[in-house]
Amino acid sequence: MRREREEQHVAISSRRPTRLRLAWLVTEVLAPAPIAAALLVVISIHSSSTPAAALGWALLAVLFASAIPFIHVLWAVRRRRLTDRHVGLREQRLLPLLVGIASVLVGLALLSSLGAPQELVALVGAMMVGLIVSLLVTFLWKISMHTAVAGGAVTIVALVFGAEWLVLFLIVGLIGWARVKLEDHTPSQVAGGTALGTSVAAIVFTLLH
């Protein structure tokens, strides 16, 4: 069953109708890891005094808050401990989330102790809280991590750069459509993920910032 699920998403890109190919592309390109990494880079640049400092903080933040958790998932898929890199089965999500929480916590401690910009520290703190809440929810329900991360990212961009950036929620809607179209989530799971990511980001980032 694991191999079948892993191969299903790959097959969609070449053998399924146009809408399913688009949904697959959206799911891959706008996955949590690349969105989180892009947001960390943007906030690092915005909050740092020099390009060199921005590069250093971005590399450190991306390593612990995006790269290490994603590498763990890829490793687990390769070892067939996970069905796919989007961790479609709820019962398989606990360990990846725990690894993500541990990695983000280390990154947060390093950023704080090394004097990273408060805006970046607040972002990574919001990510950690989001992962913890997602872990608790996962014991009972499978929410969409795609829309949780995307919703949180849009919220933080709007808080930092202005309310006009809320238009990016159109992209969150596109991601939600893709997850439902691929039958990886129900509409309620997509909405739940969006609500969780948005609310955690708004509350935690504002308090820490």
Side-chain angles (χ1 to χ4, degrees):
M1 183 178 70
R2 291 184 178 183
R3 177 174 291 275
E4 290 177 358
R5 185 173 183 86
E6 182 179 355
E7 292 174 349
Q8 178 184 14
H9 289 286
V10 177
I12 285 171
S13 64
S14 58
R15 297 191 291 104
R16 297 294 182 87
T18 301
R19 289 186 179 181
L20 284 178
R21 291 200 301 271
L22 175 60
W24 177 84
L25 182 63
V26 169
T27 287
E28 297 299 322
V29 174
L30 299 177
I35 287 181
L39 180 62
L40 289 164
V41 171
V42 168
I43 297 302
S44 295
I45 293 172
H46 180 263
S47 60
S48 299
S49 56
T50 67
L55 176 61
W57 295 128
L59 288 174
L60 181 60
V62 170
L63 175 64
F64 286 97
S66 179
I68 290 176
F70 185 58
I71 289 170
H72 167 76
V73 169
L74 293 180
W75 173 83
V77 170
R78 186 175 181 84
R79 296 293 297 270
R80 298 186 182 179
R81 296 180 180 181
L82 297 176
T83 56
D84 62 278
R85 58 182 172 273
H86 301 302
V87 197
L89 296 180
R90 181 177 63 87
E91 58 270 23
Q92 293 182 351
R93 290 187 166 190
L94 299 181
L95 182 57
L97 283 170
L98 287 171
V99 171
I101 291 168
S103 181
V104 173
L105 181 59
V106 172
L108 180 61
L110 288 173
L111 290 168
S112 299
S113 62
L114 293 173
Q118 187 58 35
E119 200 170 64
L120 181 60
V121 173
L123 169 57
V124 177
M127 288 181 169
M128 186 183 69
V129 174
L131 285 171
I132 293 172
V133 176
S134 297
L135 174 66
L136 296 176
V137 173
T138 296
F139 282 108
L140 301 174
W141 195 41
K142 177 189 171 185
I143 63 167
S144 171
M145 295 301 297
H146 275 71
T147 57
V149 172
V154 171
T155 300
I156 289 174
V157 167
L159 289 171
V160 173
F161 296 103
E164 62 271 18
W165 287 93
L166 289 174
V167 69
L168 292 177
F169 268 106
L170 292 173
I171 296 177
V172 181
L174 176 63
I175 295 171
W177 165 83
R179 303 305 288 148
V180 173
K181 189 68 177 178
L182 294 175
E183 299 182 352
D184 284 325
H185 286 288
T186 65
S188 62
Q189 290 169 346
V190 164
T194 304
L196 185 152
T198 300
S199 58
V200 168
I203 296 170
V204 178
F205 183 80
T206 300
L207 289 175
L208 294 180
H209 182 258

